[in-house]
Amino acid sequence: MRREFAATLARVTAGRGVEKEDVVMLLTAQPGEEEEALYRQADAFRSRYVGEEVHLRGVIEFSNHCRRRCRYCGLRADNNRLDRYRMTPEEILASARRGVELGYKTIVLQSGEDPWYTADILAETVAAIKELGVAVTLCVGERPREDYELWRRAGADRYLLKHETANPKLYARLHPDMSWEKRLACLRWLKELGYQVGSGNMVGLPGQTLEDLAADILLLRELEVEMAGIGPFIPHPNTPLGDHPAGSLDLTYRVLAVTRLVVPWAHLPATTAVGTLSPNGRQMALRRGANVVMPNLTPGKYRPNYQIYPGKICINEEPDDCRHCLEGMIRSLGRVVARHPGHGLRRSPPTKNWKPRIRVEVSKLLQS
Ligand code: SAH
């Protein structure tokens, strides 16, 4: 093991400061001793901060219509080779009921950015699901602050809006007509409104560097997110990035593990994208820092069309299949399925003198 790597890992896990170069160093963990040491520490932090419970968040992908043109995503408006669908509020509610019957304590409503669902329609849907006694997470992209406010009043507990990349230039290249500042403004509103906020990023985006990934991890900490979704970029053939290679699975695990060390209180899902690149990807992620799995509740007839990237797992299954498969996976790892909603557990981070380089930039945005 490189002496510098060992020293950095010891310093970070002892809570003696995390500078950007420390995060970069940890991300360069070499296969063998270094990766093993990193993963051992990430698993120990996971156990210490969020315990042995794995939270199941049932996801309903209720619409694949999208007004955006994100260059990596198969749902982008320009992809005319996709059958578009919308679930009615009644269908969404029926899927949520199924989720509750399957024992899920959180229902996640996810879609492309689809204005067909007015603020009122979604507010009523959220309120109806809240009647079932579960936590509700929304993941429907950028909307006016008033919409976020209305949904919060309707009972929504959490909001998931990935920052996708903390490099504003790369963000601009990937997202025509969108801005990184706007993304951050939305995250700020969500926090002000009292949501438990989730963000996150992709790993292996074209042109992305280890410094960019370190900035992603430090941004998650800066934002004090309750949750962070981290998954590999997977090229979709009907997008402008279709010819680029997928993100490295090993690098994704390293980003996940380092995130657990730097943002120890966060809920970190073993993402579907990781499971798509490797059959035991989610198990590996659960042993390297993750503590959440997001089973699919979307009715089987719609699943193949929620194709944000190709090869997505479980598209030939129905909600009940996912429940049993995941319970087995979690038990086989010696972990337990949580029986409560698993709300955010933000605790004071272990580092006392942590001063990220980007603090000024982000806190300015957070105030503006
Ligand atoms: N419209 C919502 C939901 C987006 S889809 C929103 O803006 O929040 C959920 C996530 O899928 C995105 O945040 C993105 O990180 C991920 N995603 C999209 N295309 C992808 C691809 N080709 N490879 C990997 N992840 C992708």
Side-chain angles (χ1 to χ4, degrees):
M1 189 178 318
R2 289 168 297 166
R3 200 175 298 165
E4 210 187 337
F5 179 86
T8 306
L9 185 60
R11 197 165 56 243
V12 170
T13 52
R16 281 182 279 115
V18 187
E19 297 290 336
K20 189 158 173 186
E21 52 268 25
D22 298 327
V23 180
V24 173
M25 169 55 70
L26 294 181
L27 291 176
T28 66
Q30 303 295 302
E33 275 187 325
E34 293 186 358
E35 279 189 349
E36 280 160 30
L38 172 64
Y39 296 149
R40 206 165 35 242
Q41 289 291 355
D43 201 42
F45 264 54
R46 187 272 308 152
S47 174
R48 189 181 327 153
Y49 280 85
V50 297
E52 306 310 313
E53 289 179 323
V54 175
H55 301 281
L56 299 180
R57 322 287 205 199
V59 187
I60 306 170
E61 300 154 332
F62 65 91
S63 164
N64 69 352
H65 287 260
C66 192
R67 65 191 176 112
R68 301 292 192 186
R69 294 158 52 227
C70 306
R71 291 166 60 82
Y72 45 81
C73 185
L75 304 191
R76 64 200 309 274
D78 298 0
N79 179 10
N80 49 25
R81 279 183 268 177
L82 184 66
D83 278 337
R84 305 277 175 172
Y85 69 89
R86 289 189 174 107
M87 287 170 64
T88 64
E90 290 72 27
E91 283 178 298
I92 298 173
L93 191 57
S95 286
R97 279 212 190 87
R98 191 73 205 112
V100 173
E101 284 162 14
L102 291 170
Y104 303 150
K105 307 297 179 197
T106 297
I107 300 294
V108 183
L109 301 184
Q110 190 183 93
S111 68
E113 285 199 18
D114 183 0
W116 184 90
Y117 297 87
T118 61
D120 288 325
I121 292 179
L122 278 183
E124 280 168 35
T125 309
V126 167
I129 298 176
K130 284 303 290 181
E131 297 272 310
L132 307 175
V134 285
V136 173
T137 302
L138 287 169
C139 178
V140 301
E142 297 181 15
R143 299 278 288 231
R145 193 183 197 279
E146 300 75 55
D147 293 13
Y148 292 153
E149 195 174 348
L150 183 68
W151 300 334
R152 181 84 184 111
R153 278 195 273 123
D157 302 270
R158 311 188 190 127
Y159 204 99
L160 177 55
L161 187 73
K162 290 170 72 175
H163 66 272
E164 313 295 1
T165 171
N167 176 338
K169 288 202 185 103
L170 180 57
Y171 187 93
R173 282 206 295 278
L174 295 170
H175 303 97
D177 314 319
M178 294 173 75
S179 89
W180 196 76
E181 286 73 19
K182 180 67 200 298
R183 201 78 172 170
L184 268 277
C186 288
L187 287 164
R188 181 187 74 229
W189 292 336
L190 292 163
K191 287 188 84 82
E192 285 167 3
L193 292 167
Y195 283 94
Q196 297 167 43
V197 173
S199 197
N201 58 280
M202 279 175 280
V203 176
L205 289 163
Q208 192 181 40
T209 64
L210 284 189
E211 281 73 20
D212 293 336
L213 291 166
D216 284 320
I217 295 170
L218 293 174
L219 177 63
L220 292 169
R221 175 162 174 141
E222 184 73 34
L223 293 170
E224 299 190 321
V225 293
E226 326 269 358
M227 187 276 212
I230 294 165
F233 158 69
I234 302 174
H236 188 298
N238 302 341
T239 66
L241 299 182
D243 292 332
H244 285 266
S248 143
L249 199 51
D250 287 320
L251 180 56
T252 305
Y253 293 137
R254 296 202 292 271
V255 174
L256 179 72
V258 177
T259 303
R260 174 56 71 203
L261 299 183
V262 177
V263 197
W265 64 84
H267 286 304
L268 300 179
T271 55
T272 306
V274 162
T276 295
L277 287 191
S278 162
N280 65 350
R282 288 183 297 180
Q283 288 92 321
M284 300 303 270
L286 286 169
R287 296 172 59 193
R288 294 167 173 181
N291 71 318
V292 172
V293 183
M294 301 175 74
N296 199 327
L297 271 177
T298 312
K301 64 176 170 178
Y302 298 126
R303 284 189 191 195
N305 293 325
Y306 199 80
Q307 209 195 67
I308 51 187
Y309 47 77
K312 202 154 149 262
I313 46 174
C314 314
I315 54 168
N316 297 321
E317 292 171 18
E318 290 287 346
D320 299 36
D321 306 326
C322 294
R323 177 70 180 93
H324 301 295
C325 156
L326 289 173
E327 175 111 38
M329 175 197 296
I330 290 161
R331 287 231 192 98
S332 74
L333 296 170
R335 309 267 280 277
V336 289
V337 174
R339 308 275 168 216
H340 60 92
H343 287 302
L345 325 142
R346 200 161 0 123
R347 299 177 195 182
S348 46
T351 51
K352 296 197 181 71
N353 57 349
W354 182 73
K355 288 190 208 74
R357 301 253 146 89
I358 51 175
R359 181 180 286 282
V360 177
E361 204 177 345
V362 174
S363 48
K364 205 168 60 202
L365 283 167
L366 287 172
Q367 281 152 21
S368 60

